[in-house]
Amino acid sequence: MGIPTYKQEPFEWYREMRKSSPVYREGNMIHIFKYKTISRILSDHQNFSSQFRDLLGEEMAAMLNEKTTPSILLLDPPLHTTLRSLVGSAFTPRSIELFEPRIRELARMLVHAIVEKENSDVVSDLSYQLPIRVISEMLGVPESDSEIFRDWSDKLATSLGRGPDIETQYDMADYFYKKIDRNSNGNNLISRLSTVEMDGRKLSDKEIAGFAILLLVAGNETTTNLITNAILSLYDHPEIYDDMRKTPSIIPGVVEETLRYRSPVQSTRRYSKIDTEIGGEEILKNDILALYLGSANRDEEVFEDGESFNPYRKEKRHMAFGQGIHFCLGAPLARLEARIALEEFSKAVPGFEIEKPSPDDRIDSDIMYGFRKLNLKVNRS
Ligand code: HEM
């Protein structure tokens, strides 16, 4: 069975591969499908590296390094540890909770517009709008720039897993350089990143720009897809939607189950720093490991009846936010936004119809799972 394109549902392929070829070599790319194996690789950052710039030719690496340093997502310790604690201190769950009232206000406004319109596109009217507005406000950039951000975010999401998009990275870096203010005492993320200090170490301009770009790339499309995928899954399960309207306390369970069942990030990568063996397959130094989180999240050895959507399931150890030292820094924000979006949606929308998306509506990405549009009609009963 060949590797599906983004237009095909990958889940049947995963199931087949977990059974027949859980570790599958294709040239220097090793595809890995089982939960336990992926977990082992993600927790061994000494042997399995995220630092892909080390593999690029010198010319390409120099071009990328001209305007930004690699983001924490693409660094190994010790630099990863230092930078993660620096940015982490400006991105704590506590500072995110402070945004709850504003996120609710935005979500309520967007959902009300959907109810008024009757026919809408969930993606452009709600699930895209909420994360981009929240992150723009957190970064302290004006809402009027949100169209530029959408364009950049789309371009970078498409380039993920297909090689860096240098032009877009340069444009974004130039944009953020102008926002850096070392003397600012503002409360937005850019000002805090510009002034944060640890053991006498501050973030350089390149590091600030690199981190702001990462927040946009890692935080937007992913959370958009989480909200859209949740609404699609609820449409397939009207009984769960009814439960949710009666008992909003099950909403966090719906969010977790969407993360598992339709994981917004289907895969991530590492490369091997050693010659070794994984699941009986010989691995050579510099082989690329494609780790299918979306497959681990349905692995029958971990999740009973993993192919069905069940927010009441007990086993919640999904890997949608990764695992180990690179565990998603934005997980509390993504969970908060999705929970609030679903709370406001279910309060205002008694029932809804959806035009099932076609494969062409899937976003054009080998890594992300989501839809470009999802037409919805509100039932007013
Ligand atoms: C890392 C998924 C939302 C910021 C990751 C990783 C995954 C992931 C799988 C680890 C990748 C790896 O180990 O190679 C998701 C999903 C999201 C989401 C599914 C939404 C549903 C966000 C948001 C932000 C964010 C909202 C911030 C605004 C980050 C950062 C990292 C990261 C900074 C890198 C952490 C590190 O390398 O130490 N995310 N993410 N993410 N995510 Fe998220």
Side-chain angles (χ1 to χ4, degrees), residues 200-317:
R201 162 90 152 82
K202 284 193 173 189
L203 291 168
S204 67
D205 286 10
K206 282 185 185 179
E207 285 166 346
I208 296 173
F211 188 61
I213 294 173
L214 175 62
L215 290 185
L216 277 179
V217 184
N220 268 350
E221 193 102 21
T222 47
T223 313
T224 298
N225 292 338
L226 173 57
I227 299 170
T228 313
N229 295 350
I231 292 178
L232 180 60
S233 305
L234 288 165
Y235 178 64
D236 291 337
H237 296 276
E239 71 294 352
I240 297 174
Y241 188 64
D242 287 344
D243 285 359
M244 205 173 104
R245 278 174 50 79
K246 284 188 216 119
T247 320
S249 59
I250 68 162
I251 292 176
V254 171
V255 172
E256 292 313 298
E257 183 64 348
T258 307
L259 282 160
R260 184 195 71 80
Y261 182 74
R262 285 195 166 106
S263 308
V265 176
Q266 287 287 317
S267 64
T268 188
R269 291 184 183 173
R270 297 291 185 266
Y271 73 88
S272 182
K273 289 169 81 175
I274 48 164
D275 291 340
T276 182
E277 178 261 305
I278 296 174
E281 182 70 42
E282 190 186 6
I283 308 291
L284 302 175
K285 191 174 165 191
N286 293 347
D287 275 344
I288 312 281
L289 311 176
L291 311 173
Y292 291 91
L293 306 172
S295 170
N297 286 342
R298 291 181 177 220
D299 189 336
E300 35 293 285
E301 275 180 21
V302 179
F303 299 99
E304 201 185 319
D305 196 16
E307 303 287 348
S308 58
F309 183 80
N310 172 14
Y312 305 105
R313 67 173 63 248
K314 296 228 160 41
E315 182 52 81
K316 295 200 191 294
R317 274 181 305 159

Side-chain angles (χ1 to χ4, degrees), residues 174-187:
D174 285 335
Y175 178 91
F176 286 115
Y177 283 159
K178 294 193 200 112
K179 303 274 171 200
I180 297 171
D181 179 359
R182 300 282 178 188
N183 301 312
S184 152
N185 55 4
N187 202 25

Side-chain angles (χ1 to χ4, degrees), residues 1-283:
M1 216 180 196
I3 296 171
T5 69
Y6 75 91
K7 290 195 177 186
Q8 294 158 308
E9 290 282 352
F11 304 112
E12 201 190 320
W13 179 61
Y14 293 158
R15 194 167 51 238
E16 179 61 37
M17 296 305 274
R18 282 196 302 275
K19 217 164 47 185
S20 65
S21 331
V23 179
Y24 169 68
R25 174 181 286 279
E26 188 198 34
N28 73 336
M29 177 80 92
I30 319 290
H31 303 269
I32 302 183
F33 299 89
K34 294 288 287 177
Y35 187 103
K36 267 195 205 148
T37 322
I38 294 176
S39 175
R40 202 192 104 204
I41 293 166
L42 289 177
S43 39
D44 184 358
H45 56 266
Q46 284 176 346
N47 290 319
F48 303 113
S49 170
S50 296
Q51 211 155 290
F52 282 93
R53 278 194 199 182
D54 295 350
L55 291 189
L56 295 172
E58 268 177 37
E59 201 181 327
M60 177 70 104
M63 259 162 44
L64 279 168
N65 290 340
E66 193 175 311
K67 299 236 177 191
T68 57
T69 51
S71 74
I72 55 171
L73 187 63
L74 299 175
L75 283 174
D76 294 339
L79 194 49
H80 173 269
T81 322
T82 313
L83 287 183
R84 179 145 174 154
S85 32
L86 270 168
V87 296
S89 66
F91 209 77
T92 58
R94 210 180 114 61
S95 56
I96 279 151
E97 274 163 30
L98 295 176
F99 266 80
E100 171 152 3
R102 179 64 183 140
I103 297 175
R104 190 170 299 283
E105 190 182 1
L106 285 169
R108 195 170 289 163
M109 188 187 83
L110 295 166
V111 166
H112 278 194
I114 287 184
V115 173
E116 302 251 295
K117 264 166 95 176
E118 209 166 318
N119 287 303
S120 55
D121 168 14
V122 176
V123 178
S124 57
D125 294 341
L126 173 65
S127 35
Y128 170 74
Q129 296 291 339
L130 190 63
I132 190 95
R133 291 200 190 188
V134 171
I135 199 67
S136 303
E137 289 189 17
M138 288 178 94
L139 286 167
V141 301
E143 203 195 314
S144 51
D145 287 348
S146 88
E147 275 310 306
I148 317 177
F149 277 27
R150 179 172 200 158
D151 185 45
W152 285 338
S153 171
D154 288 352
K155 282 187 179 146
L156 291 186
T158 306
S159 78
L160 279 180
R162 296 176 185 170
D165 175 347
I166 296 201
E167 202 184 313
T168 305
Q169 299 231 18
Y170 275 15
D171 290 346
M172 292 175 88
D174 285 335
Y175 178 91
F176 286 115
Y177 283 159
K178 294 193 200 112
K179 303 274 171 200
I180 297 171
D181 179 359
R182 300 282 178 188
N183 301 312
S184 152
N185 55 4
N187 202 25
N188 67 61
L189 268 174
I190 297 278
S191 333
R192 286 163 69 186
L193 293 171
S194 311
T195 49
V196 74
E197 193 172 331
M198 199 180 268
D199 304 329
R201 162 90 152 82
K202 284 193 173 189
L203 291 168
S204 67
D205 286 10
K206 282 185 185 179
E207 285 166 346
I208 296 173
F211 188 61
I213 294 173
L214 175 62
L215 290 185
L216 277 179
V217 184
N220 268 350
E221 193 102 21
T222 47
T223 313
T224 298
N225 292 338
L226 173 57
I227 299 170
T228 313
N229 295 350
I231 292 178
L232 180 60
S233 305
L234 288 165
Y235 178 64
D236 291 337
H237 296 276
E239 71 294 352
I240 297 174
Y241 188 64
D242 287 344
D243 285 359
M244 205 173 104
R245 278 174 50 79
K246 284 188 216 119
T247 320
S249 59
I250 68 162
I251 292 176
V254 171
V255 172
E256 292 313 298
E257 183 64 348
T258 307
L259 282 160
R260 184 195 71 80
Y261 182 74
R262 285 195 166 106
S263 308
V265 176
Q266 287 287 317
S267 64
T268 188
R269 291 184 183 173
R270 297 291 185 266
Y271 73 88
S272 182
K273 289 169 81 175
I274 48 164
D275 291 340
T276 182
E277 178 261 305
I278 296 174
E281 182 70 42
E282 190 186 6
I283 308 291

Side-chain angles (χ1 to χ4, degrees), residues 311-349:
Y312 305 105
R313 67 173 63 248
K314 296 228 160 41
E315 182 52 81
K316 295 200 191 294
R317 274 181 305 159
H318 65 71
M319 263 191 220
F321 290 122
Q323 219 179 51
I325 60 166
H326 291 280
F327 182 83
C328 178
L329 193 68
L333 177 61
R335 285 179 162 133
L336 184 67
E337 287 181 35
R339 170 170 68 75
I340 293 177
L342 294 184
E343 281 170 2
E344 294 304 320
F345 184 87
S346 57
K347 252 191 258 169
V349 177

